[in-house]
Each structure stands twice: as C-alpha cells, then as structure tokens.
Amino acid sequence: MRRKNMLALGMSLVFCATATAVPLYANPLDRQERTVSEEKETSENQAENSVVDIAENKNVDSEEGSKESLADFPEETKNSDPEEAVEAVEETENAEVSAEETESTEEAGMVKPLSLGYSGFRMANAKSYTLDDKILTMNLLFGSVEYAARDHMKVIRNRPVKVDGLIINKNNHTVDDPEEKICKVLPDRIVEKKVRGAWTLYKLDYFTPGEYRYIYTLAMGKNSPYYFLPQETPDNDIPFTYTTVVIGDRFQDNQSNSSILVNYSKSASGEDPNYKYYSIETDSFFVKEAKIISKVYLNSSFDIHKAKVGDPMNSVILNVEKIELIDGTTVLNPGTSAEPFLTSFYREYPEELNRFKLFLESYVNAAGEKGDVWKAPVGTPLPAGRYQVKYLVQPHFTEEKYRFLVEGTDDNYGSGTEFYVNNERYSNKSLKLQFGLTAGAQLVSPYFEPKKIEKKENTSGSAGNSGSSSKASSGGSGGGSGSSGGSSSGSGGSGSFKVSNSLTGQVLGVDRSLSGGQWIQDEKGWWYQRPDGSYPKNSWGYEAYNGKSYWYYFLDSGYMATGWVEVNGSKYYLFPNSDGWKGRMLTGWQWIDGNCYYLDLQGQNEGALYRNTTTPDGFTVDQEGRWTVNGAVQKQ
C-alpha cells in the first residue's frame, strides 16, 4: 500500500509537469523512422554533401553528440548505392576503432565527460531506446531515518537512499525495487550553502544558520532496459518532458523540511564501465539560529540522597524549572508536560517524553558490595553498593529557540552547558556533535550509596485492636556524626521550626554529603563546616558515622535543627537529645511528648509524618499525625 501511494504521488507530480514546455531538442527517434526511399527523395547534391560530411567527421568521437553514426541505423545501409555502402563500411570500421579506444579507457578506470542532450545520451549508450523505455517517475526512499537540520547539529553526508520504484512510459508500467544494475543512488551526498547569493560547497561538520541544499548522484546502468531523462534536457513528449524524481518523507518525529523536494536534475556528467551519473538537486532549506543555554535547572523524582536498599527501581520524571541563557537571560518553565523542554534521548516512554528509565552505574563500596543493575527491569529492588545515576537528555524537537553549547564547533565551549538536578550540580560528558535533532547531554550524579534499613525492636504496644505496632523510644534513620552529640544545648532543643519552601531544601551546587569537614559548636548550637569554609543552610545533610548513616537538617542560619521541622509541606522530627547522633532524622513509629507518630521509613518521603491517613502497617493517625483507635488518641 505504501508503495502504491508513493507511485500515485509520483504520477500526480508527473501530470503537474509543464505541459507547454518548449522542447530544446527535436525528437531523435524521428530520424530513426526515416527510410532509404525518403533519403533518395533529396537532391543529389544533398546526398553528396552528406557523404562528404560523414567522411570528414568519421574520426570524431561519437560521444561529442554532434552526429549520430550509421551504426545506429543499420537498416539505412541496405539497398543503398555502392558509393554509400563503401562510406558506410569505412564509418563502421572507424566506429569499431572508437569502441576499442573507449573500452581501453574504461578499463583504465577513467570517467569520461559527456555532452548535454538526449541525442548525445543515445549515442553514448550501446543500447537504443524508444519513448516506451523512458522513466516517467522515479521514487526514492531514505534507507534510514532522516533528520531536519538544526543550528550546530552534525552534517550528515552519508545518507543511504534507495530507488523504491519506477513508472515506465509504456502503459505506465511500474517496476518495484529495481535492481541496482538498473539504477541506484549513491549514499554520499553533497552539501551546499548559499553564500552571497551563490551556492558553495559546504565543508564544516556542523550546520550554522543559513540556506542549504543537498545534491544526490544517480547511477543509471548502461545495460538498463529504461532510461532517465534529466530535467536539464527535456524532450517533446508532452506532458512527460523529463523524469520526475520524488523522495519519500522518513524524517525523525515528522520534523521535515524542503530537502526532500527535488528542484532540478542535470544531464550525465560522467561514467564508468557500468554506469552513467546524473546530479539530482533538492530544494533549498533553512537552518535557524538558536539561543545558547548556559545552565539548566531540573527537578528529579529520584533523590540520590534518600535512596534505600530495597527501594524499587522505578522510572524517573525530570522537569525543567528554568534555564539560563549565555547572555544572562533567564527563561522560567520552558515547555509543558505535553511538550517538555527536555526529553529522554532514548524515548523509552513515548507518551511521557520527560520520563526516564533509571540507569545506575555500579561500583564496589567499602564493604565490597556491588549491585549490577544497569539493565535491571523496572521495579527491581535496589541492592547495596555504590552508584551514579545517569540521564541522557536533549531538547525536545519542537523547541527551535534554544540549544546546548556544543564542543567541536565555533562555540566558546568552556565548561559547556551546566546542569543542576534537585539543585545539585551534575557533571556532564562533552556535548559533541550528534546525528539527532540537537546535541544531547549525559548527566552524571555524584557517587552515592543507598542506605540500609535497620530493623528495630518494639519497646511497647500490642497488636490487634490496640492498634500499636511499635513505640521506639528513639532511632530511625537520618545522618549525623558523634561530634554533634556531646552538647546539651543543641540548636534549639525540641522546639518546632517551619523552614522556607525552597526547592528540595538544598543550596545550589552544594553536595549534601557531610564528609571531609567538621562539626562545630558555639553558643547558639551545632553547625557543619565544609573543607572550603562554606556550610549548609536551609538544606538536608547526610553523613555516615561509626557505622550508622543519618540525615540532618540545617536552618537558614546554618545551625542544625532539632525537634519538629516543616519542609515543603511535610513535617519531620529530628532527635533533640545528646546520644552521639543528636539532630538525626527519626523514622518509623516514635513516641514523642506522650503521643505516637508514624514517620515514613523509606522512599522519596523518608522521615515525613503521616497525617489523617492509614499507615503502611494498617493503623490510623489523625490530622496531627497522632495514633488513634476508633478516633481516640492513644497516650503513652
């Protein structure tokens, strides 16, 4: 069905050809129909002049196209007078010598120039053709997907194109998938750019803004039963004065341009022993300028600092919050959920272009553990080990305004486009030229280790109707170091703090790992000093100490918080007492000030208070998060 549609399209284009085109050459087949008797009707002087002309030009290469040899018309030598027969024999002998010279030239691998004109085409081929053998339409298809060129995208010069079908003049006969010995298109195409109004060979490996066109080379077999008539030398076979070439649309994501429209086909300009070569020029297309992105800020549903051993490895949503251009301009929320600004390069989820499969590069941790999960199915439990998460992103194809800094072009690359995920700087491999619609970026997170969930014994409570599954006096998960536990003053006791709703509570570009620095206590409380002298504030911090790993939260002042804190609408409880890990975030069931609360054990909401709902183990909590039985708050 596809091929029939293509052929139908080709026919429609043929019928749209200029029916009133003035033929540049008389139909050479008319001469083939002239008989000997018609020749003898001419005057004796004309006959003598013809013989003289033939004798004087018998050494002229037949490919000059100025004369057609008598060898092309053997029927005209029959029953002719003796003098004409002698001249015909001499001409035939010279034609054979010329053929030998041609054969030796072809064996030497030389491509001979050809003159223009259909008559010259017939003379240069050993095979004679009639109008029935003419190709009316030639349908071409890309052998692989084509890309519409964009600013600083890779120039693709080798693009396989196959001849998908032919429509022949005789009874509109169709030839599907013709053999290459009949005709083929060479995979290497020429790229030209218009410079100061003239088409110039384009040599760079990437597109810059401007007007372009492609030139393909068609090879027609010398023994082909059909012939190609270029647009440059039409005949008088109205309305099919030349062969119409149609290129099928196989562009990525249907983002096409005029590069598939054939603008002009030229006469054969070269040959080898098997083929004659024709140039096919496409219509011009334009590459628009795109603004350069300096920084991209993303929000990810996968937080490397909250990952736990046993968490299901689900897919990840990446949303763009803002981009900064190299000129300092800020663009907020580019794109929509339906048309996101950044998409997954692999398009694992075609209906959600900003959803990514979770790719984790595995390494051996200090305990000798390594989880090989690079190609793990969705939902696989995350094993213990050391990891980096990687995302391969590129701007969505409908976005024409922006592009990344690309290495290897005229960009002042420097450190390239910078990426921040959950306000943490991710490194990226060099943004090099791509075959796709635009350069992609491979984002790589810092190293991280998923935390192991520690099983804790219940200190009180009962199952069944009592509703209490546990009431641990302390514990849970979080991050901390023993140096903070020696103080009784802490950073605010067990008070309640409501902190600002900044994105994920993390300082831009700052690693959340509390390592390499030191805990410092002053008259106001505990804070953490990094090796460079900076300190976290309004953010979570994570640290492993004495075989345990915990989370801490730092206020706007930079001091470690204790007690209840509210971050982005969720409440957390940070242990207020000095036990070596003061300030650590608690999880699970906890008795706090006489009430029992459930704090999420794992996942993206680790440590968050459950409120007005049912806990994972089947118990009810009220609006304040307190454990209730039949609506009654349970007390310690």
Side-chain angles (χ1 to χ4, degrees):
M1 181 62 70
R2 177 182 60 78
R3 180 171 287 114
K4 290 182 178 178
N5 291 337
M6 286 292 297
L7 295 177
L9 172 62
M11 283 300 299
S12 66
L13 292 175
V14 168
F15 282 109
C16 291
T18 305
T20 59
V22 179
L24 300 181
Y25 301 88
N27 188 345
L29 298 178
D30 291 343
R31 290 194 57 187
Q32 202 170 13
E33 297 172 357
R34 297 176 64 188
T35 63
V36 175
S37 60
E38 289 174 332
E39 292 287 346
K40 288 187 175 297
E41 290 178 0
T42 60
S43 65
E44 188 68 20
N45 291 335
Q46 288 176 324
E48 292 176 356
N49 291 337
S50 297
V51 172
V52 172
D53 289 340
I54 293 173
E56 291 177 350
N57 293 282
K58 62 183 178 180
N59 292 322
V60 177
D61 192 332
S62 62
E63 290 186 357
E64 289 182 356
S66 58
K67 295 289 182 180
E68 290 181 334
S69 70
L70 294 180
D72 288 338
F73 305 96
E75 68 274 13
E76 295 183 3
T77 63
K78 297 177 182 178
N79 302 321
S80 59
D81 58 55
E83 292 182 2
E84 292 177 341
V86 170
E87 296 295 338
V89 170
E90 291 179 356
E91 181 65 16
T92 302
E93 291 175 350
N94 281 283
E96 291 174 352
V97 172
S98 178
E100 292 175 358
E101 293 174 351
T102 300
E103 185 176 12
S104 63
T105 301
E106 291 175 349
E107 289 177 352
M110 299 173 62
V111 177
K112 299 180 300 177
L114 297 176
S115 63
L116 302 182
Y118 178 67
S119 192
F121 170 84
R122 290 185 62 251
M123 290 184 61
N125 285 274
K127 181 178 178 61
S128 296
Y129 295 99
T130 69
L131 285 176
D132 285 345
D133 304 322
K134 182 170 65 176
I135 301 172
L136 299 183
T137 304
M138 176 178 289
N139 293 304
L140 308 180
L141 282 180
F142 292 112
S144 58
V145 68
E146 172 71 326
Y147 294 92
R150 294 181 53 157
D151 190 3
H152 283 66
M153 187 185 84
K154 187 177 182 63
V155 174
I156 307 174
R157 292 183 171 86
N158 187 281
R159 174 61 73 209
V161 178
K162 63 172 291 188
V163 181
D164 187 57
L166 305 174
I167 300 178
I168 310 304
N169 197 15
K170 184 176 183 180
N171 299 323
N172 288 328
H173 171 61
T174 61
V175 179
D176 295 333
D177 296 322
E179 297 179 275
E180 287 193 352
K181 65 181 181 181
I182 295 177
C183 57
K184 64 180 180 179
V185 176
L186 303 187
D188 292 324
R189 62 186 178 187
I190 297 172
V191 182
E192 292 185 337
K193 184 178 183 180
K194 186 169 285 188
V195 179
R196 292 186 291 275
W199 288 109
T200 306
L201 181 65
Y202 191 69
K203 298 181 179 181
L204 294 180
D205 290 332
Y206 58 95
F207 288 100
T208 55
E211 184 178 2
Y212 295 84
R213 73 177 180 185
Y214 296 126
I215 299 178
Y216 296 92
T217 300
L218 170 67
M220 287 298 303
K222 289 186 175 180
N223 293 319
S224 169
Y226 319 109
Y227 70 87
F228 176 85
L229 187 58
Q231 190 171 350
E232 188 175 57
T233 57
D235 60 16
N236 62 353
D237 184 25
I238 297 175
F240 310 108
T241 58
Y242 59 87
T243 300
T244 300
V245 180
V246 180
I247 304 180
D249 187 343
R250 287 195 63 195
F251 282 86
Q252 176 74 19
D253 296 307
N254 297 319
Q255 298 300 299
S256 61
N257 57 28
S258 299
S259 65
I260 62 168
L261 302 179
V262 175
N263 182 57
Y264 201 66
S265 55
K266 292 185 177 181
S267 300
S269 58
E271 67 175 1
D272 60 25
N274 299 314
Y275 295 98
K276 293 185 182 297
Y277 298 97
Y278 301 81
S279 295
I280 298 177
E281 301 172 354
T282 70
D283 201 354
S284 65
F285 59 94
F286 291 86
V287 172
K288 299 178 182 179
E289 182 178 6
K291 296 180 180 179
I292 304 174
I293 301 171
S294 174
K295 297 178 181 179
V296 180
Y297 294 95
L298 296 154
N299 177 264
S300 172
S301 61
F302 178 76
D303 192 330
I304 62 174
H305 300 292
K306 293 186 177 182
K308 287 192 178 70
V309 173
D311 282 353
M313 293 179 58
N314 295 325
S315 57
V316 183
I317 293 290
L318 280 183
N319 289 317
V320 177
E321 299 204 335
K322 68 175 180 178
I323 64 174
E324 292 182 6
L325 305 182
I326 199 169
D327 60 5
T329 305
T330 298
V331 180
L332 298 176
N333 300 318
T336 64
S337 57
E339 299 288 347
F341 175 75
L342 286 189
T343 69
S344 169
F345 184 86
Y346 294 113
R347 305 288 178 87
E348 297 98 341
Y349 303 92
E351 302 302 321
E352 297 179 273
L353 298 180
N354 60 337
R355 183 178 291 276
F356 293 70
K357 185 176 180 181
L358 182 61
F359 287 107
L360 294 179
E361 188 76 57
S362 302
Y363 305 90
V364 179
N365 63 13
E369 299 166 313
K370 180 181 179 180
D372 187 9
V373 294
W374 180 254
K375 295 183 179 181
V378 173
T380 300
L382 180 60
R386 192 167 183 245
Y387 301 95
Q388 285 180 303
V389 62
K390 297 185 177 182
Y391 305 109
L392 188 57
V393 302
Q394 67 176 161
H396 192 241
F397 62 84
T398 59
E399 292 289 340
E400 295 288 346
K401 298 180 180 179
Y402 312 106
R403 66 175 180 84
F404 296 150
L405 282 166
V406 181
E407 185 179 25
T409 69
D410 58 350
D411 283 344
N412 184 14
Y413 187 76
S415 60
T417 301
E418 297 179 2
F419 296 88
Y420 296 88
V421 180
N422 293 341
N423 285 325
E424 184 169 11
R425 176 69 183 276
Y426 275 40
S427 62
N428 58 272
K429 299 272 181 88
S430 296
L431 300 179
K432 297 182 180 179
L433 293 171
Q434 302 287 331
F435 287 129
L437 295 171
T438 184
Q442 181 175 315
L443 313 185
V444 183
S445 76
Y447 293 100
F448 70 96
E449 291 189 32
K451 292 178 294 182
K452 297 180 180 179
I453 302 174
E454 299 178 7
K455 295 184 179 180
K456 298 185 180 295
E457 296 181 0
N458 298 333
T459 59
S460 65
S462 59
N465 293 333
S466 67
S468 176
S469 62
S470 69
K471 51 175 183 176
S473 59
S474 65
S477 62
S481 100
S483 61
S484 68
S487 168
S488 61
S489 60
S491 61
S494 59
S496 179
F497 299 91
K498 184 174 182 179
V499 298
S500 61
N501 291 331
S502 63
L503 175 64
T504 69
Q506 176 67 359
V507 178
L508 294 182
V510 177
D511 188 352
R512 290 176 183 165
S513 175
L514 302 178
S515 60
Q518 61 178 333
W519 287 94
I520 298 177
Q521 183 188 23
D522 58 23
E523 67 280 0
K524 294 183 179 181
W526 287 95
W527 57 285
Y528 188 85
Q529 185 178 51
R530 299 183 182 279
D532 60 1
S534 65
Y535 54 90
K537 59 180 180 178
N538 192 31
S539 65
W540 290 101
Y542 176 77
E543 185 180 38
Y545 177 75
N546 280 353
K548 296 184 179 181
S549 300
Y550 296 116
W551 282 99
Y552 292 84
Y553 192 82
F554 297 90
L555 302 172
D556 291 335
S557 61
Y559 287 101
M560 180 188 74
T562 59
W564 289 106
V565 296
E566 186 170 343
V567 182
N568 292 335
S570 296
K571 291 189 70 173
Y572 303 85
Y573 190 76
L574 310 173
F575 193 63
N577 301 327
S578 298
D579 64 348
W581 290 271
K582 180 179 181 178
R584 69 182 182 276
M585 183 182 73
L586 302 186
T587 61
W589 284 105
Q590 303 290 339
W591 284 104
I592 302 171
D593 297 332
N595 297 312
C596 198
Y597 301 88
Y598 183 81
L599 306 163
D600 202 352
L601 276 172
Q602 60 183 339
Q604 299 300 316
N605 297 316
E606 178 189 356
L609 175 67
Y610 271 56
R611 291 182 281 193
N612 197 29
T613 187
T614 301
T615 64
D617 47 2
F619 300 100
T620 303
V621 292
D622 64 8
Q623 183 63 35
E624 300 299 323
R626 299 171 296 186
W627 167 38
T628 63
V629 177
N630 297 325
V633 176
Q634 304 299 295
K635 293 292 184 177
Q636 188 174 19

